[in-house]
Amino acid sequence: MTHKRSFLFLEQLILKHNMQKQCLDVQEEEVGLNFLFAKRELAASFSQFVQDHISCRMKSSKQLISHDEKNGTAHHKHTFLIDLAPVCKDDLVLLPKPLSKDLGGIGPLVLVYKISKFIHIVDVQTM
């Protein structure tokens, strides 16, 4: 976990909205956190909650665990991977030149003043 402020913000958001009640367990990994859920629907709603409140990317996958040909049933393991944006409020960011031109010609040095579903920035020279 290289960006601890992002994880602290996520933790506060989860506690504020009481989303931890859906989780069975939370495991700390070297590169992040694993949230475990009993049902896929709970994991999907948790993932949607994170996407609605934090700037991130999400990928989902499904893996076959077992199947029964006689009954026509199958059990799958669903995985939702959420990659948080590695910036926080009050971070100073150096934008690549093509991106700063695409954003209306702002300076390459910007300040992050708000993180939500989008990353809100302000040019430090012109404010």
Side-chain angles (χ1 to χ4, degrees):
M1 294 193 304
T2 59
H3 215 296
K4 293 191 184 283
R5 288 191 330 171
S6 296
F7 283 105
L8 179 63
F9 177 67
L10 177 60
E11 178 185 18
Q12 291 172 349
L13 196 61
I14 290 169
L15 292 174
K16 179 182 176 184
H17 293 279
N18 242 0
M19 295 298 291
Q20 76 278 7
K21 290 184 177 182
Q22 297 179 2
C23 285
L24 293 177
D25 192 20
V26 179
Q27 300 170 348
E28 187 173 346
E29 297 290 328
E30 187 177 314
V31 294
L33 298 172
N34 282 339
F35 293 90
L36 303 174
F37 299 91
K39 296 184 178 186
R40 184 192 68 80
E41 293 81 18
L42 294 174
S45 70
F46 184 83
S47 299
Q48 189 60 48
F49 168 79
V50 172
Q51 277 188 305
D52 289 344
H53 290 86
I54 297 176
S55 181
C56 62
R57 285 183 285 190
M58 187 183 91
K59 295 178 186 176
S60 62
S61 65
K62 180 169 75 169
Q63 180 182 9
L64 179 65
I65 301 295
S66 65
H67 72 327
D68 185 1
E69 292 181 10
K70 288 183 180 180
N71 296 335
T73 59
H75 296 284
H76 293 91
K77 176 183 174 183
H78 297 272
T79 303
F80 296 91
L81 173 70
I82 300 175
D83 188 18
L84 302 179
V87 294
C88 287
K89 181 181 176 184
D90 299 329
D91 280 354
L92 194 60
V93 178
L94 180 64
L95 298 175
K97 288 191 180 207
L99 181 58
S100 65
K101 286 183 182 180
D102 288 345
L103 294 174
I106 63 173
L109 200 58
V110 295
L111 183 68
V112 178
Y113 74 91
K114 183 179 176 185
I115 294 284
S116 62
K117 190 173 182 177
F118 305 102
I119 299 172
H120 302 266
I121 59 173
V122 63
D123 187 350
V124 294
Q125 293 176 344
T126 61
M127 294 307 235

